[in-house]
Amino acid sequence: MPTAILARPDDFDGWRTAARGLVMADTPGETIVWQVGSIATDLLGGAPTAAPVPTEPMFSVPRAFLDIARRVICHRDAERFALLYAALRRLRAQPKLFDDAADPLVRTLYDLDKGVRRDVHKMRAFVRFREVTEDGDGTDSEGRFVAWFEPDHHIVRLNAGFFARRFATMRWSILTPDECVHWDGELTFTPAATRADAPDGDPLEATWRTYYASIFNPARLKVKAMTAEMPRKYWKNLPEAALVPGLVAGAEERTRMMIAAGTTAGQSNETVQAAARFVGDGRPTDRLIALRNDAYRCKRCPLFGPATQMVFGEGPADARLVFVGEQPGDSEDLAGRPFIGPAGQMFDRALAAAGIDRARAYVTNAVKHFKFEQRGKRRIHSKPDISEIDACRWWVDHERALIQPAVTVALGATAARSLTGKAVTISRERGRALTLADGSEAWITVHPSFLLRIEDRAAAEVEFDRFVADLVAVRERLTALGAAS
Ligand code: URA
């Protein structure tokens, strides 16, 4: 049996070299043994047959496949090498194989890819460095930061570049049960560590815990949503997590007290109102949260496959103003929140100029998953098509039906299509009220990313002012309708 020996569980280069030789020799996948680490004998005790060295040039493989493969190799699923090899064999005759998201093999690989990307994201979100001032041998190591993390998959090397860029000026180590990565101006890797090798809490953590306890709002407690965002396995390494059980246990009582205090004293402060909105069954906020939880499982179109996560709308359930964008971008896909990347910053600037408080509006997207084309390491935004917009309209309609805003604003053509169900020319429709099929009022304007694409500075300023003028008209309309913005 040909045996492909890989140096590490995430040895993409080793897999690629072996897979190339094997595929060019037309080796059936089921005959290959994929082995991590060296072995002297094969499974039956004989000497293993090495994978053939490629002699002919390889047929060309889509870049997108290599990008997916580079991540899938990091998955802990023992079948990953064989699955990728099966895909490589099929790509020879079917170069567009990965366009068919319904193909079972493609689907499986997308799922593995998604698992790895999610883990990469969790590592970025949940690594907490603790400062170490002295080495065990007494050498001063001031300025070294050490974190402990338990990844689901073999992602330490895949993620190392991110931490090196993000924390370029610090000296740091991330210890894991798989292997450890260190940064001292260059990246180095050492074998697995144990939890005991990582330092425990420090004074900074106490400060963080105090802050977390002070911002914790018991009325907003949703254990299910919390564990979806921050899986329990990461809690033990987060300083703030030590507080969670106590805060959860006291939450119901504190909520009751907040409401009682507000009622008896006749107060109507925001906290009391927020608390009132978050308790009881069937209230708009509960239903919005339930809707969002359903949307996490959405498979109405194939975009759920490659995306990191569904990005739902954000804002108060009783907002009088709803903004609908196109789809999450790269930053939104990773963070799980709408309009936080470059287009979101442009949007925030325009809202501020128009005197609209974003915190009082509900901001969502026509399409809830990021659609992109993988080019090298970059994920390039790709426009959702009509079937994807139409499939996702179900969620937008439900969000709006629960919120019942006085005005909905479509940011760009995709949002306008989602709200009206037809193609809309923005320049013709912007700046005035339209009536939607459900009788509610909508306004249409440009998408903030349109402003980002204008190269000429003077023209960009003109368009920014036009965008702000559209938003001012919306604010004035809300006032006329008796709804604050
Ligand atoms: N563009 C959008 O349309 N929505 C986002 O959330 C981000 C960028």
Side-chain angles (χ1 to χ4, degrees), residues 3-200:
T3 302
I5 298 182
L6 308 177
R8 297 183 319 274
D10 61 345
D11 181 9
F12 174 73
D13 292 334
W15 174 85
R16 182 161 64 166
T17 307
R20 275 181 174 165
L22 289 159
V23 95
M24 295 314 283
D26 207 16
T27 312
E30 59 280 10
T31 64
I32 304 167
V33 176
W34 296 97
Q35 177 72 42
V36 176
S38 56
I39 44 159
T41 59
D42 70 11
L43 298 175
L44 302 175
T49 317
V53 176
T55 47
E56 307 166 46
M58 177 71 176
F59 59 93
S60 77
V61 171
R63 172 110 225 164
F65 169 71
L66 293 178
D67 291 330
I68 290 173
R70 213 179 286 278
R71 289 188 296 267
V72 168
I73 283 287
C74 303
H75 203 284
R76 249 179 242 279
D77 190 318
E79 291 301 314
R80 64 196 182 280
F81 307 119
L83 290 167
L84 286 168
Y85 182 74
L88 184 66
R89 291 240 302 161
R90 284 182 56 194
L91 277 169
R92 197 172 187 177
Q94 237 183 305
K96 291 199 183 301
L97 173 67
F98 276 77
D99 288 351
D100 182 5
D103 181 282
L105 176 58
V106 171
R107 251 321 243 265
T108 305
L109 289 172
Y110 275 148
D111 282 348
L112 296 183
D113 184 27
K114 192 169 180 173
V116 171
R117 279 188 292 115
R118 192 176 289 275
D119 202 27
V120 162
H121 173 59
K122 297 282 183 222
M123 183 171 174
R124 293 176 186 185
F126 297 131
V127 156
R128 294 281 190 275
F129 287 106
R130 292 156 164 106
E131 190 167 9
V132 176
T133 49
E134 243 182 343
D135 280 339
D137 63 3
T139 325
D140 186 19
S141 65
E142 194 173 358
R144 177 164 286 282
F145 291 80
V146 180
W148 170 253
F149 186 74
E150 293 168 39
D152 285 340
H153 303 296
H154 302 287
I155 56 164
V156 172
R157 286 175 195 245
L158 189 65
N159 234 350
F162 167 85
F163 285 96
R165 285 189 298 279
R166 172 67 64 88
F167 302 108
T169 56
M170 283 163 50
R171 295 192 305 142
W172 53 259
S173 299
I174 302 174
L175 314 184
T176 89
D178 293 325
E179 65 177 335
C180 305
V181 53
H182 314 271
W183 173 255
D184 239 319
E186 68 181 52
L187 286 169
T188 48
F189 298 88
T190 56
T194 64
R195 179 77 185 82
D197 297 321
D200 278 334

Side-chain angles (χ1 to χ4, degrees), residues 256-425:
R256 260 196 299 278
M257 282 167 58
M258 280 162 70
I259 293 169
T263 314
T264 53
Q267 291 168 355
S268 62
N269 68 49
E270 257 184 43
T271 318
V272 173
Q273 285 173 1
R277 284 209 307 275
F278 276 83
V279 290
D281 280 336
R283 292 172 196 261
T285 306
D286 291 328
R287 284 192 275 149
L288 206 51
I289 291 171
L291 186 69
R292 182 171 78 158
N293 288 343
D294 285 348
Y296 276 122
R297 293 187 291 273
C298 181
K299 295 191 176 164
R300 287 174 168 261
C301 80
L303 295 186
F304 75 90
T308 307
Q309 57 191 312
M310 185 281 306
V311 179
F312 206 61
E314 196 176 82
D318 57 358
R320 307 312 294 136
L321 176 58
V322 166
F323 286 99
V324 182
E326 184 197 66
Q327 61 162 350
D330 187 70
S331 319
E332 288 82 10
D333 169 80
L334 293 173
R337 298 183 51 210
F339 279 106
I340 55 150
Q345 283 154 24
M346 174 66 83
F347 181 46
D348 286 345
R349 206 154 70 76
L351 286 176
I356 295 177
D357 180 2
R358 174 164 169 174
R360 299 179 74 167
Y362 184 85
V363 179
T364 191
N365 281 301
V367 171
K368 309 278 189 241
H369 283 103
F370 179 34
K371 180 174 181 184
F372 60 92
E373 214 182 283
Q374 190 82 45
R375 276 200 224 136
K377 291 198 168 148
R378 298 183 58 213
R379 301 189 297 165
I380 309 294
H381 163 276
S382 129
K383 236 181 162 26
D385 60 36
I386 289 174
S387 65
E388 289 147 358
I389 299 169
D390 289 349
C392 218
R393 180 180 306 122
W394 197 88
W395 298 111
V396 183
D397 284 350
H398 278 74
E399 284 175 292
R400 292 182 54 254
L402 285 175
I403 296 168
Q404 298 192 0
V407 172
T408 302
V409 178
L411 300 167
T414 299
R417 156 95 212 182
S418 168
L419 292 176
T420 63
K422 57 180 193 223
V424 172
T425 309

